[in-house]
Amino acid sequence: MQQDEVAARVRQVIDATGVSAREFARRIVIDPSKLSRSLNGTRRFTAAELARIADIGGVDVGRLIGATAGAAGEVTAGAAATPSTVRSPSPSRSPSPSPEGGRPLQIVRETVRLIAERGFHAVRVADIATACHTSTAAIHYHFPGRDELLEAAVRWCMDEDTRRRAEATAGTRHAGDELRLLIELQTPRTEQQRRQWCVWLDLWAEAARSTTVGRLHVEYYRQWRGTVADVIRRGVEQGVFRPVDADGAALALTALIDGLASQVLAAEPGLPGTGAPAMHDALIAHVDACLTAPVSG
């Protein structure tokens, strides 16, 4: 029953923010399906998730979970609500104004930026706190450990990448144009694209060592290859592409994109034939040679 009560209070917080459940999930940096399962009572909210929900909603954690205050300001939820302990922010200090999107989203954005600049293992929690103009305690309040912070950073990068692709290709009808646009979006031309790719390279390495990040990595690439395969299938139907195995072609093309992007980032800037334009030209040549249907007549 207590778990249902917690879910009901979280629903009230979401309603009060005036955003969709999916947008709220983005702000507290969890997968929308996890939020949905927790709201439906088939999954328990973790202590860190409840802390982030309280931060976004501007409510007290103890009131959110219906807990009682213990010693040293500790707020303990009943066993049915969460297996962990949630610590409320110190009442002696006035909270700083919450940044746009909430503190958790700011923390994740700054984490991603610092990973791109320095690499994940060179980024300390203190560095993230400095970038967010807050304390290390505030970082740990929302993300108790580095593993959880990395998982949130991975999710945010994946969501942003998916969002940018959806916005850029909205309304595109010609499959050939859409595929070339997807290639352009994945080519590290701009400084922002280079930063994004630097983060991806770090995340690939972590995916090889972390089961959680590895699962996220597999799921993201399943969706990414599926997007490319769908475009290729539509192109075959339109007569733009020659009849091919869409799934196999998508696997080859996405692998080629990753390999070429890695070489671009690793090469000395300005070295002839190793930059983003050369990568883009090579990808388009691959599409033309392997996919594009010959013009009849």
Side-chain angles (χ1 to χ4, degrees):
M1 177 61 70
Q2 189 169 4
Q3 187 175 334
D4 293 339
E5 293 172 355
V6 171
R9 294 188 190 101
V10 172
R11 286 185 185 278
Q12 291 174 354
V13 171
I14 296 174
D15 292 341
T17 60
V19 300
S20 67
R22 186 172 189 81
E23 170 60 18
F24 192 84
R26 187 187 71 84
R27 293 187 182 186
I28 62 173
V29 204
I30 70 169
D31 187 84
S33 64
K34 281 189 176 181
L35 177 61
S36 178
R37 292 199 304 274
S38 296
L39 291 174
N40 292 332
T42 58
R43 174 187 177 273
R44 292 178 179 178
F45 287 104
T46 68
E49 288 166 0
L50 289 169
R52 298 200 291 273
I53 290 167
D55 179 80
I56 293 294
V59 299
D60 179 75
V61 177
R63 202 167 96 190
L64 181 65
I65 63 178
T68 57
E74 194 173 82
V75 180
T76 306
T82 175
S84 306
T85 296
V86 181
R87 188 176 297 276
S88 296
S90 172
S92 62
R93 206 169 103 184
S94 299
S96 57
S98 187
E100 183 182 358
R103 181 69 71 189
L105 196 54
Q106 182 200 28
I107 291 170
V108 170
R109 284 171 174 160
E110 290 300 325
T111 299
V112 169
R113 181 181 65 82
L114 290 171
I115 290 174
E117 293 177 358
R118 309 178 189 180
F120 178 73
H121 289 287
V123 177
R124 304 172 303 160
V125 173
D127 299 326
I128 300 169
T130 298
C132 294
H133 306 288
T134 188
S135 65
T136 56
I139 304 297
H140 287 304
Y141 173 70
H142 294 294
F143 302 97
R146 283 173 64 91
D147 287 347
E148 187 173 9
L149 188 53
L150 175 62
E151 180 182 348
V154 173
R155 290 190 184 281
W156 186 82
C157 286
M158 292 176 177
D159 287 346
E160 284 296 289
D161 197 46
T162 302
R163 180 186 61 79
R164 278 194 293 267
R165 287 202 305 265
E167 289 180 353
T169 59
T172 306
R173 296 288 179 263
H174 190 278
D177 292 341
E178 184 171 353
L179 185 59
R180 286 170 173 79
L181 184 54
L182 289 175
I183 289 173
E184 185 175 337
L185 290 172
Q186 295 300 113
T187 305
R189 291 172 175 269
T190 67
E191 190 59 35
Q192 179 183 353
Q193 287 171 320
R194 289 185 66 87
R195 281 198 302 269
Q196 179 183 346
W197 270 104
C198 286
V199 173
W200 282 129
L201 292 179
D202 246 7
L203 296 184
W204 287 345
E206 289 303 313
R209 305 184 184 97
S210 166
T211 302
T212 299
V213 176
R215 284 197 297 266
L216 291 174
H217 184 267
V218 168
E219 175 61 19
Y220 170 77
Y221 265 85
R222 184 188 66 78
Q223 295 176 0
W224 166 226
R225 286 193 293 267
T227 296
V228 175
D230 287 343
V231 174
I232 294 174
R233 288 191 190 93
R234 193 162 66 253
V236 172
E237 293 172 359
Q238 293 175 354
V240 175
F241 300 140
R242 67 184 77 217
V244 294
D245 172 13
D247 291 324
L251 177 62
L253 183 56
T254 54
L256 184 58
I257 289 172
D258 290 345
L260 287 173
S262 301
Q263 292 182 42
V264 169
L265 293 171
E268 181 182 345
L271 196 65
T274 61
M279 169 186 166
H280 184 265
D281 292 346
L283 290 168
I284 296 302
H286 175 79
V287 169
D288 289 340
C290 301
L291 295 177
T292 304
V295 179
S296 59

